[in-house]
Amino acid sequence: MLKNKIDEIGNEKRRRAFDSQIGTFFDQRFFTISRQLKTKEAVIEHIANAFYQAKVTDQDYQKDLLDREQMSSTAFGKIAIPHSLTMKAHSTKGFIYINPNGLTWGTSRVYLVFALAVRKEDSKLFRNIFDRLSDVMTEEKNIAELVGSTSYEDFLGRIKGML
């Protein structure tokens, strides 16, 4: 009983930390719901341009993402998590792209893209968020619910409710 209570307190502490970090990591400026972009390359270009314009990354971020994709696809089921192999972003941010109709990502069809730009100094923050997102994304019903989001606020509310 004591162990269960300790686990419960630890889980609650991690959930509160995640809730406070996710809104900073996934900034509203880097959230898009669109049916317009239908390929991996188009989405990566869209994300890289937004990050570059906001000075989150350098101009070579797009090339870094495409190079990473050349090594192996970052698609996992109905989601993709493109990221650079190096942590050289100017600030740590995530980009959320939702296409309710899906888009071609190599040999996969994905509906939700989480692009990651990480500053080396923020590797612990990144790991905390990534681990929690991974827990959520293992369940297909969660992905379907997130793809049904209608706004940034709706998305954050849904994902927080899953943790």
Side-chain angles (χ1 to χ4, degrees):
M1 203 160 84
L2 181 60
K3 183 185 178 330
N4 287 344
K5 190 63 173 172
I6 291 169
D7 289 346
E8 182 182 319
I9 291 168
N11 287 338
E12 179 61 23
K13 183 178 176 182
R14 283 189 293 282
R15 187 195 60 75
R16 278 194 309 256
F18 180 81
D19 283 357
S20 69
Q21 294 168 342
I22 195 165
T24 302
F25 186 73
F26 290 115
D27 185 315
Q28 186 168 7
R29 298 173 296 164
F30 309 120
F31 179 87
T32 302
I33 300 173
S34 173
R35 291 173 171 81
Q36 300 304 308
L37 305 178
K38 297 177 179 150
T39 66
K40 165 181 67 177
E41 294 78 11
V43 171
I44 286 175
E45 181 179 359
H46 174 73
I47 291 166
N49 286 339
F51 276 166
Y52 177 66
Q53 293 295 320
K55 298 181 180 15
V56 171
T57 62
D58 288 330
Q59 202 164 13
D60 61 349
Y61 179 71
Q62 180 175 346
K63 181 184 179 318
D64 291 347
L65 294 184
L66 292 171
D67 288 348
R68 169 61 181 86
E69 288 294 326
Q70 285 286 98
M71 293 177 65
S72 67
S73 177
T74 58
F76 307 95
K78 295 181 178 182
I79 67 166
I81 308 174
H83 58 282
S84 171
L85 291 173
T86 58
M87 294 184 181
K88 61 181 184 180
H90 301 295
S91 58
T92 298
K93 292 288 179 189
F95 195 111
I96 299 164
Y97 182 86
I98 298 172
N99 183 328
N101 293 339
L103 60 110
T104 303
W105 200 280
T107 59
S108 300
R109 187 115 185 118
V110 302
Y111 299 82
L112 183 58
V113 178
F114 292 102
L116 309 172
V118 182
R119 194 172 69 123
K120 191 175 188 176
E121 296 80 5
D122 294 332
S123 61
K124 190 173 182 179
L125 164 68
F126 161 73
R127 178 55 48 197
N128 181 43
I129 290 174
F130 185 79
D131 288 348
R132 300 290 287 178
L133 282 176
S134 296
D135 291 343
V136 168
M137 295 304 130
T138 57
E139 297 199 32
E140 198 161 316
K141 69 179 178 70
N142 290 344
I143 296 167
E145 185 176 336
L146 292 173
V147 168
S149 299
T150 58
S151 68
Y152 171 77
E153 292 80 10
D154 182 35
F155 180 88
L156 282 186
R158 288 178 189 224
I159 201 164
K160 286 178 182 180
M162 294 174 184
L163 299 170

